[in-house]
Amino acid sequence: MRLRRSFVITVGAASALTLVVAQPAFAADRTWTGTSDAAWSTGVGWGGTAPTDLDALTFAAGPRSTYDLGNRTFTSLSFEATHEVANGGGVITVGDALDVGADADVLIAPQLTVPDSQTWTVEEGASLTLPSLVRVEAASTLRLDVAGTMTIGAAGNLDGLATACVTKEGPGVLNILGGGGGLGACPGQAAGLHVQDGVVAVGEAQIGGKDFAVTGGVFAGGTVATPATVHALALSGTGVVSPGAGNGSGFGAVALWGTSAWTGGTYQVDWDVDAGTSDYVYGDGQAISVSGTVLDVRLAGTPEVGDSVRILGSSIAFSGSFSASDGTPLVDGAEFTSNGQVYTVAYLTQGTASGVTLNWVRAAPQQPGDDDGDDDGDDDGGGDGDDDGTGGDTGTADDDELAATGPSEVARALLVAGGALAAGAVLVTTGRRRARIRRA
């Protein structure tokens, strides 16, 4: 409804002017109840009247509608039922909030713009798919509270213009499958998408312009065959970096195009010694530093003394050291126990082979009250690598044989030999057997 307000202005003693000022329309609550596809402009599905600027929109039914209103701003979008919004032309600006109710599956095809700070909610059992650009204006904060699943499609882009703060909250999964648009730093954090809870999975995305700051929850993605590429990856707090598909349960590799600092959190490494496959993070022309990050190894297969694998690398420089689960710093050659197995680590700090090699030493002694006697982590979701594309070539050359006999010597030989490896290639030695290169 539009209001008209009149003002009477007296001019002199005998005349008066009536000034009519048009007031803005009240924002209305509009509900889509249509059961078949229709254009928004026709009013069909909206009870006969098409929505206008600042209306609050609720989708209570209907499998599909087509947005064709051009560039408009709506106060909020709320989905109570499964619904697809097709793109008939125009950009939707979400003024205040977007909500997807429990068990609803929603796809919004038009470009979305976020002009001010707000929260988008995807409730448990629900999904939200965004195949186009999501533009978050500068100086805004977008909170993604995801208990279900939210996906930025391969052709989409979550772009904060290198200044906006975007946070991932809630126990659900945020998939970012495309779009390298830059995000700014949230207060007190490194630049990038601030991961606080749940899972952020990047699949095999090549998003070298996007940073991530993981202070809680899990960052996952990449496969051995096709490493994911991101810009800087910061890790701290209770955050976890766990490369691979299946939210980190598979084997994977992640290439970094920005200098990255890990100052806490956990690096969760899956390693199958029989398949010669492990998780791997690699600084492609970028340095990596580690301090206070716990090394958590999930082992599969039957290891032998001398089995080693490169788990983190840089083509420029590595600095710092990992920590054991109790916080003890792991100096070069130090032994530590993870999930019932004893390992050592070796560091190489300079040159194209910089990085960290993990060496298996022995199974840890059985602890009192340990029912299975080994706590080897076989049931912790480490995965067996069957679905991660590890069936690629394994090359063995005559000059790959290692003369070193001790785990630390083997590790150093591996680091030097691995200097020319590209991101995603994992160099493995298996005890008395020859060194092998598992190519991406």
Side-chain angles (χ1 to χ4, degrees):
M1 176 179 73
R2 294 187 180 275
L3 296 181
R4 294 165 58 90
R5 181 171 297 175
S6 298
F7 297 90
V8 178
I9 302 175
T10 301
V11 181
S15 62
L17 296 176
T18 300
L19 181 64
V20 178
V21 180
Q23 300 297 302
F26 284 127
D29 293 330
R30 306 279 188 185
T31 300
W32 177 276
T33 58
T35 58
S36 60
D37 186 13
W40 288 25
S41 61
T42 66
V44 176
W46 294 109
T49 303
T52 59
D53 281 334
L54 302 182
D55 284 352
L57 307 184
T58 298
F59 296 82
R64 192 173 189 269
S65 62
T66 299
Y67 178 75
D68 64 342
L69 296 178
N71 299 339
R72 292 290 180 92
T73 298
F74 301 105
T75 298
S76 61
L77 303 178
S78 179
F79 294 85
E80 298 175 351
T82 294
H83 197 92
E84 175 187 348
V85 179
N87 189 3
V91 176
I92 298 175
T93 296
V94 183
D96 184 61
L98 187 154
D99 178 75
V100 180
D103 301 322
D105 295 318
V106 173
L107 185 149
I108 304 175
Q111 175 183 326
L112 301 179
T113 297
V114 179
D116 298 302
S117 297
Q118 57 188 270
T119 299
W120 290 7
T121 302
V122 181
E123 298 182 18
E124 185 174 0
S127 68
L128 172 62
T129 300
L130 303 172
S132 301
L133 172 66
V134 177
R135 176 186 170 114
V136 186
E137 299 293 350
S140 298
T141 296
L142 175 61
R143 297 176 59 246
L144 302 176
D145 186 359
V146 182
T149 302
M150 178 177 174
T151 300
I152 304 296
N157 190 1
L158 178 59
D159 189 358
L161 307 178
T163 56
C165 165
V166 179
T167 67
K168 160 61 175 71
E169 306 172 24
V173 178
L174 169 61
N175 297 304
I176 300 181
L177 306 182
L183 302 175
C186 296
Q189 303 299 327
L193 176 67
H194 184 196
V195 183
Q196 300 183 40
D197 195 6
V199 176
V200 170
V202 296
E204 299 177 345
Q206 307 301 300
I207 47 177
K210 194 177 298 299
D211 300 306
F212 294 83
V214 185
T215 64
V218 177
F219 173 90
T223 63
V224 174
T226 307
T229 299
V230 302
H231 198 247
L233 176 60
L235 176 63
S236 62
T238 60
V240 176
V241 170
S242 182
N247 299 333
S249 64
F251 298 102
V254 178
L256 307 179
W257 282 8
T259 300
S260 299
W262 295 4
T263 59
T266 299
Y267 181 29
Q268 196 169 69
V269 178
D270 294 308
W271 179 19
D272 186 333
V273 294
D274 294 340
T277 303
S278 81
D279 292 336
Y280 186 51
V281 176
Y282 179 81
D284 188 359
Q286 305 295 328
I288 300 177
S289 62
V290 175
S291 175
T293 299
V294 171
L295 193 53
D296 178 25
V297 184
R298 303 189 294 193
L299 184 70
T302 304
E304 298 178 5
V305 174
D307 283 356
S308 300
V309 66
R310 196 180 190 211
I311 59 173
L312 186 144
S314 168
S315 61
I316 294 181
F318 167 84
S319 61
S321 62
F322 283 99
S323 296
S325 59
D326 62 0
T328 301
L330 298 175
V331 299
D332 187 73
E335 286 192 359
F336 71 102
T337 301
S338 180
N339 297 313
Q341 304 295 316
V342 179
Y343 306 91
T344 63
V345 288
Y347 306 113
L348 193 64
T349 59
Q350 297 294 326
T352 58
S354 302
V356 182
T357 291
L358 181 68
N359 318 287
W360 184 84
V361 178
R362 62 185 179 275
Q366 180 177 349
Q367 300 298 317
D370 183 358
D371 293 337
D372 62 11
D374 58 8
D375 186 27
D376 60 6
D378 289 345
D379 60 351
D380 62 4
D384 59 9
D386 289 346
D387 60 355
D388 64 2
T390 60
D393 296 338
T394 297
T396 302
D398 290 341
D399 60 357
D400 284 335
E401 289 186 292
L402 301 176
T405 56
S408 180
E409 292 169 310
V410 171
R412 292 184 183 282
L414 278 169
L415 282 169
V416 173
L421 294 179
V426 180
L427 185 64
V428 183
T429 183
T430 54
R432 295 176 293 279
R433 298 184 293 276
R434 294 177 177 178
R436 299 181 296 165
I437 296 175
R438 171 67 65 182
R439 295 186 175 87

